[in-house]
Amino acid sequence: LPDGSGVLYTEAPAGADDRSARIVLYSYADGSVHELTAGTSPSVVDGDLLVFGRIGAERASLWTAQLDLEQRALADAPTPCLGGLEGGSNYDVPYSVSAAGSLLYQVGGGSAPDVALLEVTRAGGVRPLAESGFYQTPRYAPDGLRLAVMMGTSEQDFAVWTFDLETGGRTRLTFEGGNFDPTWTPDGERVAYSTNREGEAHDVWWKRADGSGLEEPLLVGPLDEHVRDWTPDGQQALVQSKQLQASSQDVDLVALDGGERTKVLAGAVDELVASLSPDGRWVAWEELDASGQARVFLSSLESGGRWQVSPDGGNQPVWGPDCREIFFVSNDLQKLLAASIDPGPPMVVGAPRVLFERPMALRPGSRGASYDVHPDGQRFVLTGPARDEKVAVVLGWIEELRSSEAPR
């Protein structure tokens, strides 16, 4: 709040869609909480004018209301002032109001969702793999001929599908709850994924990749768990897990026979994505530093040690098939980079180099990488915006808003 007396934030029930979000005021003076109105992305401008967004079925809109700071409540009913905005992810409407009163916002581009599923070469050549939709965390099968991918319209209805890259055929694997982060077993026979069908925590289930048979639980318990990779023999899974209310995660190797866990990374920091090398000897991970900047590191499972891969920041590490490269995404989600790895001894990590520049899609509802590397090491599957984003600027917007009595 402008007077420093409290803070505004967006609140929504766990697993709810964007339209259930509410704007809440928290008072520092007495710790009281005051629900103001339905909406998201609140800001206070020009002293006491609350600006916020509401997300519709296809696009978002901006609304305003006078804020009574003493009463910690709205002084009048919210009024719509601008429509046709892009509806962002994770309860976000992309706009900003400057100190001088000008408005910057992202123009909506049509019906959502609108994410492209693309195959991109090292040189940046692009091949669309499917019509635009809502895709996340695509994964190549070990044979490179199939994909597993999350597909849906919201976090609540994500299903895991497989795509045949030669015939274009599709097979839906999951039919209950939200299902996330598919991962192929090393023999290409099954796909494992996280699901919230049994409650708030994500358990790990799997199913035959051809769609036959039933879905079966693999790791079920109180922890929120996601399979990231497998040892070459398929007998252990690299699993990220955390308590539901915790921010930091543990990374373990979990034996499928008996469930014995071997600690790989302890949750002293927030490890967001971890990747096991194809030979099972090394782990790379994305870690947030004290400033919130993501960086990529690697470690040996045999001898320990720790090496930084991305000196200038980076996220979503994925190992190359020959264990001689680690790929990662720049923190602005605009570039894919590669760093060469010579395990030595001594270990030598090469300076990261940009392979290509292309916007990557964000990962709402998922903790996996938004891309994958083909088994030939020369191609990548990724998700990205299906269209160019347009940004509009309205100079003197607050002055115009204050002088007009009619909503626009």
Side-chain angles (χ1 to χ4, degrees):
L1 295 176
D3 61 1
S5 63
V7 63
L8 293 172
Y9 61 91
T10 301
E11 182 178 77
D17 65 22
D18 293 333
R19 282 169 279 180
S20 67
R22 314 288 295 181
I23 294 172
V24 178
L25 186 155
Y26 174 81
S27 172
Y28 292 140
D30 56 12
S32 58
V33 175
H34 309 265
E35 185 176 300
L36 300 180
T37 183
T40 185
S41 305
S43 60
V44 177
V45 300
D46 201 30
D48 59 358
L49 183 65
L50 175 66
V51 182
F52 61 95
R54 286 180 177 171
I55 299 176
E58 294 186 356
R59 298 189 183 184
S61 55
L62 280 187
W63 293 62
T64 61
Q66 289 297 128
L67 182 61
D68 188 329
L69 293 174
E70 289 189 4
Q71 298 298 319
R72 303 164 190 167
L74 299 185
D76 59 8
T79 302
C81 59
L82 185 66
L85 279 75
E86 180 73 12
S89 60
N90 289 343
Y91 313 104
D92 176 58
V93 174
Y95 80 93
S96 180
V97 181
S98 73
S102 295
L103 171 69
L104 175 75
Y105 66 94
Q106 184 177 337
V107 180
S111 299
D114 204 2
V115 174
L117 185 65
L118 307 171
E119 190 169 64
V120 184
T121 67
R122 282 177 176 261
V126 179
R127 177 172 75 102
L129 297 178
E131 71 278 4
S132 61
F134 197 12
Y135 308 103
Q136 286 190 35
T137 58
R139 296 291 177 266
Y140 283 112
D143 60 13
L145 302 178
R146 296 165 293 165
L147 284 179
V149 65
M150 293 163 53
M151 194 167 76
T153 58
S154 71
E155 184 172 342
Q156 287 68 51
D157 71 353
F158 269 127
V160 174
W161 292 69
T162 59
F163 286 25
D164 189 309
L165 297 179
E166 292 186 319
T167 67
R170 302 182 183 186
T171 301
R172 182 171 179 171
L173 299 186
T174 64
F175 294 88
E176 296 182 45
N179 302 274
F180 309 87
D181 299 345
T183 307
W184 294 86
T185 54
D187 60 8
E189 294 295 317
R190 290 177 176 267
V191 176
Y193 46 88
S194 296
T195 179
N196 60 7
R197 69 188 62 188
E198 298 291 329
E200 189 176 355
H202 289 86
D203 298 320
V204 177
W205 290 49
W206 64 355
K207 188 176 181 179
R208 293 191 63 83
D210 62 7
S212 65
L214 299 175
E215 300 177 65
E216 298 175 335
L218 186 61
L219 297 173
V220 177
L223 297 176
D224 197 68
E225 300 198 291
H226 300 258
V227 170
R228 289 289 166 246
D229 270 316
W230 303 82
T231 54
D233 60 7
Q235 297 303 304
Q236 293 177 290
L238 186 74
V239 177
Q240 284 184 256
S241 60
K242 72 179 187 72
Q243 300 288 340
L244 283 178
Q245 305 305 320
S247 60
S248 61
Q249 306 178 56
D250 290 335
V251 179
D252 301 321
L253 280 173
V254 181
L256 300 191
D257 183 11
E260 181 182 353
R261 291 176 178 257
T262 301
K263 190 68 63 184
V264 176
L265 298 170
V269 293
D270 197 350
E271 304 104 2
L272 299 180
V273 175
S275 177
L276 187 67
S277 62
D279 61 9
R281 299 175 54 205
W282 307 86
V283 63
W285 71 95
E286 164 193 342
E287 176 182 311
L288 298 183
D289 63 20
S291 68
Q293 175 93 333
R295 301 183 187 277
V296 175
F297 297 86
L298 74 89
S299 180
S300 168
L301 296 183
E302 300 169 346
S303 61
R306 172 182 169 116
W307 295 268
Q308 186 165 336
V309 178
S310 62
D312 297 321
N315 61 84
Q316 307 178 53
V318 175
W319 282 89
D322 61 0
C323 302
R324 294 283 177 162
E325 283 183 300
I326 294 177
F327 304 99
F328 61 92
V329 179
S330 60
N331 282 342
D332 63 2
L333 303 178
Q334 300 295 310
K335 305 179 187 72
L336 185 72
L337 299 95
S340 62
I341 304 297
D342 182 351
M347 163 67 74
V348 177
V349 179
R353 63 192 185 282
V354 175
L355 296 184
F356 55 81
E357 296 191 25
R358 172 164 287 274
M360 304 277 190
L362 295 174
R363 302 170 287 169
S366 168
R367 296 180 182 88
S370 60
Y371 74 100
D372 195 23
V373 58
H374 192 274
D376 67 10
Q378 302 302 309
R379 291 171 279 169
F380 305 85
V381 60
L382 57 87
T383 57
R387 51 186 159 73
D388 294 333
E389 297 179 348
K390 297 180 180 179
V391 175
V393 178
V394 182
L395 300 177
W397 181 67
I398 292 297
E399 181 179 356
E400 178 185 352
L401 198 65
R402 293 288 200 189
S403 65
S404 175
E405 295 182 356
R408 297 179 305 284

